[in-house]
């Protein structure tokens, strides 16, 4: 059974007090973290949210962080190293559900709480707290196809092949595509959720002269707008995430029509909270918790107001502006920006 949460008040969560759990004895637990993408702003915010929440909770003595660019085999090795280190819980953003299933099962058998964030896993003993990735793609794609007048060619820029978030987003994208039979995919690419790679892909595509009527991105967005501006290419509608750079562009770039779909990296902090709740004997009623996205566009007055309110130029352009999740994160903005965990 899945429980859905709304992110309507995500930004308001930044003002939440960091006093939750202060009465609990400090520093009881060691939390392991496993992440397989470095250099991506979303993932960096996710890790910073994990650190900030561990610090704000007062319950974590130490974080054992495996944060590197690797594949499922490398992540499986990292998870087994965390098991050997006898951590109390592992919070993992999975590279590939099937590829790390054995490690998650081994962790559970060792008495370690396992929480997957951002993406689902197939190991039934694991808990999952994730942004609703299928809905993320569906909302953005449907909006885009409507902006295209229900017809034309779309450049489809996916995430990382094999990642469950990418697979779920592909389902949402194709669900919307089925509703608009006159919309065709001009080209489909995997960006790997890397800025440099995505920009080179759009530049290469623009160089072919192939006409397109819209661009859907899996959260690598501001560099796509940069490429359109630099090449003086037609400013077709663009869909991205609520990254600070893209939100700023939607507010300021002349001729740009686009939409940001919320996908908070702060889900990492929520994963730490869930792990601590389970360790404290407060298991959730559902194995999976989904955070539902919102769409903010600059084509409507309501959307423009939301984009203006969400804009935060003080953040890294690649960081989502939704830096907290009410009821799940208790750190301050200063704490997540500082990106310091217990003992740092």
């Amino acid at each position: 059974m899945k429980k859905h949460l709304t992110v309507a008040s995500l930004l308001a969560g930044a003002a939440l007090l960091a006093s939750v759990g202060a009465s609990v004895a400090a520093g009881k637990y060691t939390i392991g973290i496993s992440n397989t993408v470095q250099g991506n702003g979303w993932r960096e915010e996710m890790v910073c949210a994990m650190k900030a929440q561990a610090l704000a909770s007062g319950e974590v003595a130490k974080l054992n962080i495996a944060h590197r660019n690797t594949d499922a085999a490398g992540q499986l090795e990292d998870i087994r190293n965390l098991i050997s280190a006898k951590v109390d819980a592992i919070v993992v953003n999975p590279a590939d559900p099937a590829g790390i299933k054995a490690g998650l099962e081994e962790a559970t058998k060792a008495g370690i709480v396992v929480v997957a964030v951002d993406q689902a896993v197939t190991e039934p003993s694991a808990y999952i707290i994730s942004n609703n990735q299928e809905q993320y793609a569906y909302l953005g794609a449907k909006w885009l196809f409507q902006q295209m007048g229900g017809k034309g060619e779309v450049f489809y820029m996916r995430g990382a092949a094999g990642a469950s978030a990418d697979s779920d987003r592909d389902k949402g994208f194709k669900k919307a595509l089925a509703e608009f039979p006159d919309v065709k995919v001009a080209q489909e690419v995997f960006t790997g959720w890397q800025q440099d790679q995505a920009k080179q892909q759009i530049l290469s595509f623009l160089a072919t002269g192939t006409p397109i009527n819209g661009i859907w991105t899996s959260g690598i967005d501001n560099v796509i707008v940069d490429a359109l501006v630099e090449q003086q290419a037609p400013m077709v509608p663009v869909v991205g995430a609520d990254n600070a750079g893209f939100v700023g562009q939607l507010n300021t770039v002349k001729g740009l029509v686009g939409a940001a779909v919320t996908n908070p990296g702060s889900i990492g902090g929520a994963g730490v909270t869930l792990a601590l709740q389970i360790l404290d004997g407060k298991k959730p009623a559902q194995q999976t918790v989904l955070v539902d996205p919102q769409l903010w566009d600059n084509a409507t007055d309501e959307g423009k107001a939301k984009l203006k309110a969400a804009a935060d130029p003080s953040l890294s352009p690649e960081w989502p502006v939704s830096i907290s999740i009410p009821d799940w994160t208790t750190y301050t903005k200063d704490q997540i920006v500082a990106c310091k965990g217990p003992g740092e």
Side-chain angles (χ1 to χ4, degrees):
M1 181 178 180
K2 296 179 180 179
K3 177 183 178 183
H4 291 257
L5 301 174
T6 177
V7 292
S9 56
L10 272 173
L11 298 178
L16 287 174
L17 295 176
S19 60
V20 175
S23 61
V24 180
K28 292 194 296 183
Y29 301 118
T30 297
I31 306 294
I33 292 172
S34 174
N35 176 53
T36 61
V37 179
Q38 267 188 324
N40 168 282
W42 193 98
R43 293 292 186 104
E44 298 299 332
E45 182 183 277
M46 179 195 77
V47 172
C48 289
M50 292 171 169
K51 290 183 176 184
Q53 188 57 39
L55 182 65
S57 74
E59 293 190 73
V60 181
K62 180 184 176 183
L63 291 175
N64 190 331
I65 301 176
H67 175 40
R68 61 175 175 142
N69 287 316
T70 189
D71 56 10
Q75 186 168 45
L76 180 60
E77 178 185 355
D78 289 343
I79 290 169
R80 285 173 170 156
N81 287 337
L82 292 173
I83 295 170
S84 296
K86 300 186 184 303
V87 298
D88 297 294
I90 296 174
V91 182
V92 55
N93 192 326
D96 174 66
I100 65 169
K101 185 178 185 301
L104 301 186
E105 183 181 9
E106 290 165 21
T108 300
K109 288 181 178 178
I112 298 169
V113 171
V114 176
V115 175
V117 297
D118 181 42
Q119 311 186 74
V121 291
T122 54
E123 169 51 42
S125 65
Y127 292 85
I128 300 165
I129 183 163
S130 172
N131 299 307
N132 189 333
Q133 304 294 356
E134 184 173 337
Q135 187 68 2
Y136 168 94
Y138 176 74
L139 282 179
K142 183 176 181 178
W143 178 90
L144 179 63
F145 302 156
Q146 289 171 336
Q147 286 295 313
M148 292 167 54
K151 61 183 179 181
E153 302 285 332
V154 61
F155 190 35
Y156 181 29
M157 306 189 75
R158 297 179 62 173
S164 58
D166 178 79
S167 299
D168 287 343
R169 289 182 180 185
D170 187 52
K171 291 176 186 176
F173 181 89
K174 288 177 177 171
K175 177 182 174 182
L177 195 64
E179 297 175 9
F180 295 85
D182 293 327
V183 173
K184 308 298 181 184
V185 175
Q187 187 172 334
E188 176 179 333
V189 296
F190 287 93
T191 67
W193 285 309
Q194 297 292 344
Q195 296 267 24
D196 291 347
Q197 182 170 318
K199 188 169 185 180
Q200 187 55 54
Q201 287 168 330
I202 187 66
L203 288 172
S204 297
F205 181 80
L206 292 173
T208 68
T210 304
I212 52 172
N213 306 98
I215 302 172
W216 185 94
T217 79
S218 190
I220 300 298
D221 36 45
N222 62 299
V223 293
I224 304 307
V225 177
D226 288 343
L228 294 175
V229 172
E230 291 166 12
Q231 298 299 307
Q232 298 182 329
M235 193 61 74
V236 298
V238 179
V239 169
D242 58 332
N243 301 316
F246 186 55
V247 168
Q249 290 171 329
L250 290 173
N251 283 318
T252 61
V253 174
K254 185 177 180 180
L256 173 63
V257 176
V261 185
T262 57
N263 183 53
S266 44
I267 198 73
V272 170
T273 296
L274 180 56
L276 291 172
Q277 288 177 352
I278 297 167
L279 287 169
D280 289 337
K282 303 170 186 174
K283 293 183 180 180
Q286 297 84 16
Q287 201 82 3
T288 298
V289 177
L290 294 179
V291 177
D292 284 327
Q294 283 187 313
L295 183 143
W296 307 330
D297 69 4
N298 67 357
T300 64
D301 289 341
E302 180 183 4
K304 288 177 182 176
K306 290 179 178 179
L307 287 166
K308 185 177 180 180
D312 190 344
S314 73
L315 294 176
S316 165
E318 297 178 43
W319 272 39
V321 295
S322 308
I323 58 173
S324 61
I325 301 178
D327 301 325
W328 287 101
T329 61
T330 59
Y331 49 74
T332 65
K333 178 180 176 180
D334 286 346
Q335 285 176 320
I336 186 174
V337 171
C339 200
K340 301 292 185 183
E344 290 189 77

